[in-house]
C-alpha cells in the first residue's frame, strides 16, 4: 500500500531558531568575500568594533608573493597552473592562457549564461575547465588562495593574541538567481577552501543595495520610494528593485520586482577593442603580442574610464614599435582613436545594459525614483549618461560612493547585523518568490478540480482521493525574511505492514517561465525535485506510534509531522519536525 501524505496549513510568524555555529562568544572576526566573475574583493571587521570596516587592497603579483605587489580594491578572478604551482589574481600576467570566468561554470543551468556578446567576442586566452581542473576545483583553488592571502594580511593588521582567541567567520556572495545546485557547490568550494562550516551566503545585488541605500542621504528617502539597483561588473550585469517600507528605527525595503541579469559586463569592451585593434592594425609589419598588451592596458585603465561620449575628442593609445601608418592613425608609436571609434566599441555593450534597466523598471509596475549604479562598469560616465537619456527624465541615475566595492561592503554590513543586530542600518524585509515551491500530497477528490482518471479509493478515510500538488510559495508572492512558514502533514500506513525506519517528504519546485501558474499535478509537467527531508523513526518503539482504525475496520499507523520553511538572503532552510524534535534540516535554494 502506498503511504499517504495529507496536510494542514498554519502560519507561524515567530522567529525560528536556526542551527548555526556556536555564538556564545561576543567577539568574532568577520570576513566578507565578493567572489566575482572577473574581480573579487575582501573586507573584514571585528564584532566588537563594527564601525571599523576595512577593505583589503594589497595583493601579490608575479614578481612579489608578499603584500607589496599591487594596490587595488579588488583582485582579478583568474588562475594559471604551472606544474604544481597555482598562480592567481595579479600573479597571472597578460601573456599566455589562463582560467577565468570559471565561477559561472558552477551554474550551467542559467539561461542567461551565454549572451550574444560572449559568442561574438570570446577571450582568446581563456582556458575552459578540463577533466582534472573542473569548475569546482578552480573555484576551490582560487578561494583557497584568497583566504590564505587574507589571513596573511590580518597577521600584520591585528595582534597575535587577538587572532588566536577570536573565531573567524566568512561571508560569501552569490548571484540572487543562483540555482540550488550552484549554491551548494559554492558553499562546498568555500568550505573546502578553509572558510569553515559557519559560512553565511548573501546575494550579490542585495548586498550592493544594502550599502548603496545606506550611503544615500537619509533625508532624501521617503516611504514608498522605489529604487532599481544595477550592479554592472566586469562579467555580469545584475539588477534588482526595492521599495522603501519603513524609515525608523532602521531603513527597511521590500523587493519590488524579481532580479534579472546577463553576461554583458565591461570585459566585453576590452574584447571588442582588441578585435578592433587587430582588424585596424594587425597587418602592420611590427605587430606582436607586446603591442597588444600595451594598448589593452591603456584602454582598460584609462580610455574606457574617461570616455563620456564626446565624438570630437581623440584618445591616444600606445603602440610601441609599430611603423608609422598615417592612414590608420599611427605615428611615433601612438595610435589616435576618434571618439566615434570608441563609441562603436561601447554601443553593443551599453545597449544590452539599457535593455536590462528598462525591463527592470517596467517589472516594478511602480514609479521608480532612481537607478543606482554600482560595480566597476557602473562607474562609467558614458553608461550613466546613456541610461539617463534612455529612461523617464523623472528617474534619477546615481552612482553611490565606493561603487566598485559596494557588494563586499554590503555583505560585511549584512553579516555584522546578523552577529551584532544593533549595527543593522538597512534591512530587506521581504523578497519576491522566483519560483513555485511545494510538495505532493493526497487530497480529497474534487470533481470540479481533478480529472476523474486520477482518483482512487482511500480505504482509511473511506472516500475518493487524488495525488496532487500543495504549493507552499507561489511565484511572485512576497516572502518575509527570517520568519517560518509551517505546514502540518501526516502519513498513514497499515499496522500489518510493520513499522517504518523513517518518513520522508520531497520538496518540489516549478520555474513557470511563462507565468501560466503552478500545475495541479506533478506528473507530466516540469515540476522538479529540490530536496528530500527525512525523519528517523528507528529509535521510536512501535508502541509509541499513533494507531487509528480506518473506515475499513483495519488498524493504521498515523505519523504527524511539520515542515518548517525559513527564507534568508540567498537560501531557504527546510526542516522536518516530529514530536517537537527537528530530525532533518536542509538549506536549499533562494526563492
Amino acid at each position: 500500500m502506498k503511504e499517504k501524505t495529507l496536510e494542514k496549513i498554519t502560519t507561524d510568524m515567530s522567529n525560528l531558531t536556526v542551527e548555526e555555529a556556536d555564538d556564545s562568544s561576543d567577539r568574532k572576526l568577520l570576513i566578507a568575500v565578493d567572489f566575482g566573475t572577473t574581480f573579487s574583493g575582501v573586507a573584514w571587521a571585528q564584532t566588537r568594533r563594527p564601525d571599523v570596516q576595512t577593505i583589503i587592497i594589497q595583493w601579490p603579483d608575479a614578481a612579489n608573493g608578499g603584500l607589496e605587489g599591487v594596490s587595488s580594491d579588488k583582485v582579478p578572478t583568474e588562475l594559471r597552473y604551472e606544474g604544481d604551482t597555482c598562480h592567481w589574481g595579479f600573479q597571472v600576467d597578460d601573456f599566455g592562457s589562463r582560467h577565468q570566468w570559471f565561477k559561472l561554470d558552477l551554474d550551467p543551468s542559467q539561461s542567461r549564461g551565454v549572451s550574444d556578446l560572449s559568442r561574438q567576442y570570446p577571450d582568446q586566452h581563456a582556458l575552459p575547465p578540463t577533466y582534472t581542473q573542473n569548475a569546482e576545483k578552480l573555484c576551490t583553488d582560487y578561494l583557497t588562495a584568497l583566504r590564505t592571502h587574507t589571513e596573511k594580511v590580518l597577521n600584520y593588521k591585528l595582534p597575535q593574541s587577538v587572532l588566536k582567541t577570536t573565531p573567524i567567520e566568512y561571508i560569501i556572495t552569490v548571484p540572487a538567481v543562483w540555482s540550488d545546485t550552484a549554491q551548494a557547490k559554492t558553499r562546498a568550494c568555500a568550505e573546502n577552501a578553509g572558510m569553515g562550516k559557519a559560512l553565511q551566503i548573501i546575494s550579490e545585488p542585495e548586498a550592493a543595495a544594502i550599502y548603496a541605500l545606506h550611503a544615500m542621504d537619509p533625508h532624501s528617502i521617503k516611504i514608498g520610494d522605489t529604487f532599481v539597483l544595477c550592479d554592472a561588473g566586469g562579467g555580469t550585469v545584475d539588477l534588482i528593485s526595492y521599495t522603501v517600507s519603513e524609515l525608523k528605527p532602521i531603513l527597511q525595503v521590500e523587493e519590488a520586482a524579481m532580479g534579472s541579469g546577463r553576461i554583458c559586463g565591461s570585459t566585453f569592451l576590452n574584447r571588442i577593442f582588441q578585435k578592433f585593434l587587430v582588424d585596424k592594425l594587425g597587418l602592420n609589419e611590427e605587430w606582436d603580442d607586446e603591442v597588444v598588451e600595451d594598448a589593452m592596458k591603456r584602454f582598460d585603465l584609462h580610455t574606457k574610464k574617461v570616455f563620456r561620449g564626446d565624438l570630437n575628442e581623440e584618445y591616444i593609445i600606445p603602440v610601441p614599435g609599430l611603423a608609422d601608418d598615417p592612414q590608420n592613425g599611427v605615428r611615433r608609436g601612438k595610435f589616435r582613436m576618434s571618439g566615434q571609434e570608441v563609441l562603436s566599441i561601447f554601443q553593443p555593450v551599453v545597449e544590452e545594459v539599457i535593455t536590462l534597466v528598462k525591463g527592470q523598471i517596467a517589472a516594478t509596475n511602480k514609479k521608480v525614483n532612481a537607478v543606482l549604479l554600482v560595480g566597476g562598469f557602473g562607474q562609467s560616465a558614458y553608461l550613466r549618461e546613456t541610461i539617463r537619456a534612455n529612461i523617464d527624465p523623472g528617474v534619477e541615475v546615481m552612482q553611490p560612493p565606493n561603487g566598485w566595492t559596494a557588494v563586499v561592503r554590503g555583505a560585511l554590513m549584512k553579516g555584522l547585523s546578523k552577529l551584532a543586530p544593533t549595527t543593522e542600518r538597512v534591512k530587506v524585509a521581504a523578497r519576491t518568490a522566483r519560483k513555485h515551491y511545494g510538495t505532493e500530497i493526497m487530497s480529497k477528490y474534487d470533481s470540479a478540480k481533478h480529472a476523474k482518471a486520477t482518483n482512487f479509493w482511500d480505504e482509511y478515510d473511506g472516500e475518493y482521493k487524488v495525488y496532487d500538488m500543495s504549493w507552499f510559495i507561489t511565484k511572485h508572492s512576497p516572502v518575509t525574511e527570517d520568519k517560518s512558514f509551517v505546514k502540518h502533514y501526516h502519513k498513514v500506513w497499515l499496522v500489518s505492514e510493520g513499522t517504518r525506519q523513517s518518513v520522508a517528504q520531497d520538496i518540489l519546485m516549478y520555474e513557470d517561465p511563462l507565468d501560466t501558474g503552478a500545475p495541479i499535478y506533478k506528473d507530466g509537467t516540469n515540476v522538479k525535485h529540490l530536496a528530500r527531508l527525512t525523519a528517523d523513526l528507528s529509535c521510536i518503539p512501535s508502541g509509541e506510534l499513533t494507531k487509528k482504525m480506518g473506515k475499513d475496520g483495519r488498524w493504521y499507523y498515523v505519523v504527524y509531522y511539520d515542515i518548517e520553511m525559513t527564507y534568508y538572503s540567498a537560501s531557504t532552510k527546510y526542516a522536518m519536525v516530529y514530536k517537537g524534535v527537528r530530525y532533518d534540516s536542509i538549506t536549499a535554494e533562494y526563492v
Side-chain angles (χ1 to χ4, degrees):
M1 176 180 175
K2 184 175 180 180
E3 66 182 18
K4 302 181 284 189
T5 305
L6 298 94
E7 69 160 353
K8 179 183 177 184
I9 306 172
T10 63
T11 303
D12 173 14
M13 299 308 289
S14 62
N15 286 326
L16 277 181
T17 301
V18 181
E19 290 113 11
E20 296 284 354
D22 180 18
D23 286 332
S24 58
S25 171
D26 63 347
R27 171 185 282 179
K28 283 192 177 181
L29 182 58
L30 205 58
I31 301 174
V33 176
D34 171 17
F35 180 31
T37 305
T38 55
F39 281 85
S40 296
V42 179
W44 62 275
Q46 298 179 80
T47 52
R48 288 192 177 180
R49 287 299 308 276
D51 55 314
V52 181
Q53 301 175 13
T54 306
I55 301 287
I56 289 183
I57 61 170
Q58 299 164 295
W59 309 102
D61 62 11
N64 191 319
L67 305 180
E68 299 78 22
V70 177
S71 292
S72 172
D73 284 345
K74 287 190 177 183
V75 60
T77 310
E78 296 184 359
L79 291 171
R80 177 182 293 147
Y81 295 91
E82 294 180 359
D84 295 332
T85 303
C86 175
H87 299 288
W88 70 287
F90 288 109
Q91 294 176 340
V92 181
D93 57 35
D94 294 331
F95 295 101
S97 298
R98 58 193 179 271
H99 291 284
Q100 58 179 187
W101 293 49
F102 44 84
K103 165 189 163 181
L104 297 179
D105 292 314
L106 291 178
D107 196 6
S109 68
Q110 287 299 324
S111 60
R112 69 179 192 148
V114 180
S115 68
D116 290 338
L117 288 172
S118 56
R119 294 189 189 96
Q120 294 174 33
Y121 305 103
D123 188 325
Q124 301 303 316
H125 295 293
L127 289 169
T130 64
Y131 177 75
T132 56
Q133 293 164 343
N134 57 28
E136 288 94 329
K137 182 183 187 315
L138 293 172
C139 291
T140 299
D141 286 352
Y142 184 83
L143 291 173
T144 299
L146 200 64
R147 177 193 60 78
T148 302
H149 176 72
T150 297
E151 294 178 3
K152 185 186 293 184
V153 170
L154 292 176
N155 274 316
Y156 290 95
K157 302 293 183 183
L158 295 172
Q160 287 298 309
S161 59
V162 172
L163 289 174
K164 289 180 179 179
T165 59
T166 307
I168 297 177
E169 188 166 313
Y170 279 85
I171 310 159
I172 193 166
T173 61
V174 296
V177 290
W178 227 217
S179 71
D180 173 60
T181 300
Q183 189 182 127
K185 286 179 179 179
T186 304
R187 178 179 288 277
C189 289
E191 289 179 359
N192 291 335
M195 293 185 179
K197 298 290 186 182
L199 186 73
Q200 295 186 48
I201 296 184
I202 296 174
S203 76
E204 292 165 3
E206 180 173 317
I210 286 172
Y211 178 75
L213 291 170
H214 174 64
M216 291 180 64
D217 178 5
H219 301 293
S220 66
I221 301 176
K222 303 186 297 295
I223 290 178
D225 284 354
T226 297
F227 301 93
V228 170
L229 188 288
C230 176
D231 180 10
T236 58
V237 177
D238 289 298
L239 298 94
I240 201 161
S241 303
Y242 293 102
T243 297
V244 177
S245 57
E246 298 287 343
L247 295 175
K248 294 181 179 180
I250 63 171
L251 178 65
Q252 294 194 44
V253 296
E254 298 178 356
E255 266 189 29
M258 283 173 50
S260 56
R262 278 183 74 76
I263 299 177
C264 56
S266 62
T267 294
F268 289 104
L269 298 177
N270 298 35
R271 295 185 185 184
I272 296 170
F273 170 71
Q274 184 172 359
K275 183 179 185 303
F276 163 82
L277 206 62
V278 172
D279 292 345
K280 186 91 170 178
L281 307 176
L283 296 179
N284 191 295
E285 60 186 21
E286 302 296 334
W287 178 266
D288 60 20
D289 286 345
E290 287 191 26
V291 173
V292 177
E293 182 186 8
D294 287 344
M296 292 294 294
K297 281 185 177 178
R298 175 68 175 181
F299 179 81
D300 185 47
L301 299 175
H302 179 75
T303 309
K304 74 179 187 183
K305 293 182 179 180
V306 301
F307 180 67
R308 292 175 170 269
D310 186 352
L311 303 185
N312 297 318
E313 191 169 347
E314 283 191 337
Y315 300 87
I316 305 300
I317 303 294
V319 285
L322 283 197
D324 285 359
D325 181 0
Q327 185 175 349
N328 285 316
V330 178
R331 186 169 182 269
R332 294 182 179 178
K334 295 178 180 179
F335 169 52
R336 295 180 181 274
M337 283 187 74
S338 69
Q340 182 63 52
E341 287 173 324
V342 179
L343 178 66
S344 69
I345 291 168
F346 269 80
Q347 275 183 325
V349 183
V350 171
E351 284 172 2
E352 288 216 29
V353 179
I354 290 171
T355 299
L356 286 170
V357 171
K358 284 183 173 180
Q360 186 69 198
I361 290 174
T364 66
N365 288 317
K366 296 180 180 181
K367 180 186 180 301
V368 172
N369 297 77
V371 175
L372 307 179
L373 291 175
V374 299
F377 192 20
Q379 307 315 294
S380 164
Y382 177 70
L383 177 63
R384 179 192 66 223
E385 295 306 318
T386 307
I387 291 176
R388 185 173 286 163
N390 281 272
I391 60 175
D392 188 320
V395 180
E396 291 188 74
V397 181
M398 304 166 61
Q399 293 168 315
N402 302 308
W404 196 29
T405 55
V407 171
V408 74
R409 291 174 186 271
L412 187 59
M413 290 175 63
K414 176 77 175 178
L416 283 169
S417 70
K418 183 175 180 181
L419 297 178
T422 57
T423 67
E424 190 168 37
R425 296 294 177 266
V426 179
K427 179 182 179 67
V428 178
R431 300 176 180 84
T432 301
R434 286 156 171 76
K435 300 173 187 176
H436 304 280
Y437 293 83
T439 191
E440 187 180 46
I441 63 166
M442 190 169 71
S443 302
K444 182 177 180 179
Y445 171 69
D446 181 351
S447 60
K449 176 183 177 183
H450 301 118
K452 188 172 183 180
T454 64
N455 70 14
F456 58 88
W457 182 255
D458 175 36
E459 296 175 330
Y460 173 73
D461 281 327
E463 60 186 7
Y464 283 102
K465 297 283 184 69
V466 296
Y467 286 102
D468 63 0
M469 288 300 302
S470 166
W471 297 104
F472 314 140
I473 298 292
T474 56
K475 187 176 179 180
H476 300 299
S477 63
V479 178
T480 304
E481 184 184 46
D482 299 345
K483 306 293 182 182
S484 66
F485 185 80
V486 181
K487 284 201 172 185
H488 307 291
Y489 294 90
H490 64 277
K491 287 187 183 289
V492 180
W493 69 93
L494 285 165
V495 170
S496 61
E497 294 177 357
T499 58
R500 299 283 174 88
Q501 294 295 305
S502 63
V503 294
Q505 191 72 40
D506 289 330
I507 308 298
L508 307 173
M509 65 179 179
Y510 180 59
E511 294 187 7
D512 196 9
L514 300 179
D515 288 338
T516 55
I520 296 175
Y521 304 106
K522 176 187 74 173
D523 298 332
T525 66
N526 287 319
V527 173
K528 298 178 181 178
H529 182 270
L530 175 62
R532 167 164 286 192
L533 299 171
T534 304
D536 182 10
L537 304 182
S538 60
C539 60
I540 301 175
S542 60
E544 293 184 14
L545 292 175
T546 301
K547 296 179 185 178
K548 288 190 176 182
M549 182 176 288
K551 296 290 186 180
D552 58 356
R554 294 187 293 178
W555 286 96
Y556 292 80
Y557 286 120
V558 184
V559 174
Y560 297 90
Y561 60 94
D562 296 338
I563 292 182
E564 295 178 334
M565 297 147 279
T566 314
Y567 302 92
Y568 300 97
S569 171
S571 63
T572 308
K573 178 161 283 191
Y574 297 91
M576 178 177 279
V577 181
Y578 175 64
K579 290 191 174 181
V581 179
R582 185 173 282 99
Y583 279 90
D584 197 8
S585 183
I586 293 176
T587 298
E589 79 174 318
Y590 175 55
V591 299

